[in-house]
Amino acid sequence: MLIPIAALLLSDALLLMGHGLQLTLLPLSAELNGFSAAQIGLTGSSYFAGFVTGCIVTPYIVRRVGHIRAFAVLATSYSALVLMFYEAPWFFTWLLIRFFAGVAIAGLYMIIESWLSERSTAQTRGTVLSIYVIINLTMITVGQQLINITDIASHSLFALSAVLLSLAIIPVSLTSQSAPAPINNVRLDVVKVWRISHVAVGGSIVTGLVTGAFWSLGPLYGGSVGLDGFELTAFLSIIVLGGAVFQLPLGRLSDHYDRRLVVFITTLVAAALSLLLTLVPTVTQWSLILCAFLWGGAVMTPYAICLAHANDRAAPEDFVMVGSVMLLTMGLFSAVGSFVAGRFMAMTGPEGLFLFSALCLLIFALAIALRRRTHVLAAPPVSEPFRAVAETVTPMALELDPRTDAEHARSLSQ
């Protein structure tokens, strides 16, 4: 099962290691360069704006030159952009560079996930995507730890990230396996997805706001509360690990109960932990690490459950459109979250990051409670055999899966 995609998974591992390193390095380097918290938040917003743009333009690139060439072009571009961060350490330059970095990584994610979907079957897709998620989370964690090998003010860490991104091109370029089938355009209908599931769209909005703020400003928060280099990377990595540990149990739980109830409880827990994280740095750093692990498990998991809930309510021919709209929504509000959380931190100090998260999560939990009181779920449509389940679904895999269009065509002909 894994032999046909071994080269792709190796490229993914190298890519995510370099990406994880620069995700942690950039906010810390920005602080050294004299950027304010608000400016760092704006660079994060620029990155997520590029991410959204990448989701839109990548299908056209892949359709023009194919998956392998598109992967090589985007990875090479990303590698060059990482080196430019060190050579041009000015705020407006970083805004532009981070935008194009977002375009590149979004495109790389989409190419990898569409390739995995095309190479798997209804009987193996869950396993393949699970392995993919595990590799992603593991390599991001490893990449975060690489920041401890040398001084963050040096050129070495930027160079190492660029090297890893460049090496990611080799396995895919040398693979003897055939590239996936050509892709088709994807139509977006935000209003229709909103009608399919208010909770799912709300989940993508809140996930974008909270996780976008964390990825942009989490390193700045850790440094502000007194964490040294090793402790800071442990703090960031434990949040990612929490998401990995809790994703599968919560996804399976949502398969047996109302998914909205699982998301509601998880969101409440995440809000409580967010409030707690504004206090625990004054207690002990071990309590901070524990709360961070649980916070990651509560914040990183609801999106997949929300997407599964939307697909429960959607017709098979709408799966691609639902996944595309939710991904773009999450990316857009990630940009908003980075900026607004930066303003919170500027006004209240480092705890503003988690005060902002708590506010977003509490509003979403209240909205879910109101929705469940006024909207009783009807029986879901008949499931197609390739529909992803909550614990393994990834939005980009749906967008570029060529078999989804085939299923749509068959449904129209019947």
Side-chain angles (χ1 to χ4, degrees), residues 162-326:
V163 167
L164 291 169
L165 294 170
S166 297
L167 290 175
I169 302 171
I170 297 175
V172 164
S173 299
L174 293 179
T175 182
S176 60
Q177 300 294 326
S178 59
I183 63 173
N184 297 312
N185 289 331
V186 177
R187 296 178 294 106
L188 301 181
D189 189 340
V190 177
V191 174
K192 184 174 183 178
V193 177
W194 172 253
R195 290 171 178 168
I196 289 172
S197 175
H198 292 19
V199 171
V201 175
S204 65
I205 291 173
V206 173
T207 299
L209 290 170
V210 176
T211 61
F214 166 73
W215 287 119
S216 298
L217 299 168
L220 183 61
Y221 166 85
S224 299
V225 298
L227 301 181
D228 60 27
F230 175 78
E231 292 168 339
L232 175 59
T233 53
F235 168 74
L236 298 173
S237 298
I238 203 70
I239 288 178
V240 178
L241 179 61
V245 169
F246 285 97
Q247 182 68 72
L248 185 61
L250 289 174
R252 287 183 172 172
L253 188 65
S254 74
D255 287 336
H256 298 285
Y257 298 95
D258 184 351
R259 299 192 200 277
R260 299 175 304 172
L261 178 60
V262 176
V263 173
F264 171 73
I265 295 173
T266 305
T267 302
L268 278 183
V269 172
L273 290 167
S274 296
L275 293 174
L276 191 58
L277 278 166
T278 65
L279 304 174
V280 291
T282 62
V283 184
T284 66
Q285 291 181 346
W286 281 110
S287 61
L288 174 63
I289 295 298
L290 176 60
C291 287
F293 174 76
L294 297 174
W295 188 84
V299 168
M300 300 288 180
T301 52
Y303 176 82
I305 301 174
C306 287
L307 183 55
H309 173 66
N311 283 335
D312 289 342
R313 319 316 309 163
E317 60 267 23
D318 290 329
F319 288 167
V320 166
M321 186 261 296
V322 169
S324 300
V325 168
M326 288 192 61

Side-chain angles (χ1 to χ4, degrees), residues 61-72:
I61 298 174
V62 175
R63 187 176 63 176
R64 179 179 178 83
V65 301
H67 286 72
I68 294 176
R69 289 182 179 177
F71 185 95

Side-chain angles (χ1 to χ4, degrees), residues 1-17 71 112-113 115-116 127-136 139 168 171-172 175:
M1 179 180 63
L2 295 180
I3 289 176
I5 57 172
L8 182 62
L9 293 177
L10 178 57
S11 288
D12 176 62
L14 293 168
L15 174 70
L16 268 294
M17 194 184 304
F71 185 95
I112 292 171
E113 294 187 5
W115 199 326
L116 291 174
T127 301
V128 168
L129 293 180
S130 294
I131 294 171
Y132 166 70
V133 170
I134 291 170
I135 289 174
N136 282 3
M139 289 301 104
V172 164
T175 182

Side-chain angles (χ1 to χ4, degrees), residues 58-127:
T58 298
Y60 297 96
I61 298 174
V62 175
R63 187 176 63 176
R64 179 179 178 83
V65 301
H67 286 72
I68 294 176
R69 289 182 179 177
F71 185 95
V73 168
L74 291 171
T76 301
S77 301
Y78 194 9
S79 177
L81 290 166
V82 168
L83 294 175
M84 291 172 64
F85 282 117
Y86 183 83
E87 301 298 338
W90 308 293
F91 171 63
F92 289 105
T93 306
W94 273 42
L95 282 178
L96 185 62
I97 298 173
R98 290 218 73 181
F99 175 84
F100 286 109
V103 173
I105 191 61
L108 290 165
Y109 274 137
M110 295 175 72
I111 291 169
I112 292 171
E113 294 187 5
S114 66
W115 199 326
L116 291 174
S117 289
E118 204 274 341
R119 286 292 176 266
S120 57
T121 66
Q123 290 73 35
T124 63
R125 186 169 294 112
T127 301

